[in-house]
Amino acid sequence: MNIQETLLTVLELLAIVLVFVSIITLSAIAMAAMRKVIKPKKKIINKTKEIRTMSKEKGEGVTFNDIFMFMIAVPLILLWVGFAGFVIHSGLSKPEVLENIEAYTTLIAILGGPALLIIKDALDVWKQEQAEKTAFYKVKAQAVIDYNDASQKQSQMIESKAQEQEHKMESKK
């Protein structure tokens, strides 16, 4: 079995695996959509449950970008990484792979361009989420500090008013 047959076999197996992953992903998306359509309306018992329910309803939903990521981006990245690993592994063990290394690196580069852009965008989204979390925690920490300051000032004011009242009562005696 030569290298081309081995490569074709590996690519065919990878394609089969990606088809199964795609089917599972589409099934999950369809189930989520069905749950959203069939989901009965529930009475909301208290305010916190209402807020959680509202935020879930606003935030969830399958978008075109979600489908794009699961159907195109994820398989492309997996194919790129898998093929690069296969070429490295084959290159270390078989000298005929090294003879055709330009063709393999060209294919890796062709797959790698879009894959790297997708990975970069995913990392940018992650960095943005982290920045939002950091900003949220800064605001939350400042709110706690402001609350503690206000609470301490209120306690001091109550104590000073109580002392003033006590002095007034003593002076009336």
Side-chain angles (χ1 to χ4, degrees), residues 84-101:
F86 173 75
V87 169
I88 291 169
H89 174 69
S90 298
L92 293 174
S93 61
K94 299 175 184 173
E96 58 266 7
V97 172
L98 293 177
E99 293 172 6
N100 296 325
I101 197 70

Side-chain angles (χ1 to χ4, degrees), residues 3-166:
I3 189 71
Q4 290 176 344
E5 291 175 6
T6 306
L7 180 61
L8 284 175
T9 305
V10 169
L11 289 176
E12 287 172 355
L13 290 174
L14 186 58
I16 291 169
V17 168
L18 290 177
V19 166
F20 283 121
V21 168
S22 300
I23 290 170
I24 291 169
T25 304
L26 284 175
S27 300
I29 291 170
M31 287 175 47
M34 292 299 278
R35 264 193 240 129
K36 196 168 191 172
V37 170
I38 297 174
K39 184 178 177 182
K41 300 283 182 183
K42 293 182 181 178
K43 282 190 174 181
I44 297 169
I45 296 172
N46 60 27
K47 201 71 166 170
T48 57
K49 283 186 181 178
E50 180 179 340
I51 291 169
R52 262 189 244 132
T53 304
M54 288 171 56
S55 66
K56 282 183 182 177
E57 287 174 0
K58 277 193 265 180
E60 289 186 17
V62 179
T63 64
F64 173 76
N65 290 333
D66 295 335
I67 295 169
F68 174 77
M69 287 299 286
F70 285 115
M71 297 300 296
I72 296 173
V74 173
L76 176 67
I77 292 169
L78 292 175
L79 181 66
W80 174 58
V81 172
F83 185 68
F86 173 75
V87 169
I88 291 169
H89 174 69
S90 298
L92 293 174
S93 61
K94 299 175 184 173
E96 58 266 7
V97 172
L98 293 177
E99 293 172 6
N100 296 325
I101 197 70
E102 290 89 17
Y104 292 122
T105 55
T106 302
L107 184 55
I108 290 171
I110 290 169
L111 292 173
L116 287 175
L117 289 174
I118 292 167
I119 292 170
K120 182 192 174 301
D121 288 344
L123 290 174
D124 288 343
V125 168
W126 179 76
K127 283 196 300 188
Q128 182 182 1
E129 287 176 357
Q130 295 304 312
E132 288 173 2
K133 282 182 185 178
T134 303
F136 169 76
Y137 287 125
K138 283 181 182 178
V139 169
K140 188 175 179 179
Q142 188 61 45
V144 169
I145 290 169
D146 293 345
Y147 174 79
N148 288 340
D149 286 344
S151 176
Q152 185 178 11
K153 286 178 183 176
Q154 184 180 18
S155 297
Q156 289 172 348
M157 184 184 72
I158 290 171
E159 206 171 294
S160 72
K161 294 290 183 184
Q163 287 177 356
E164 284 178 18
Q165 183 66 23
E166 191 176 305

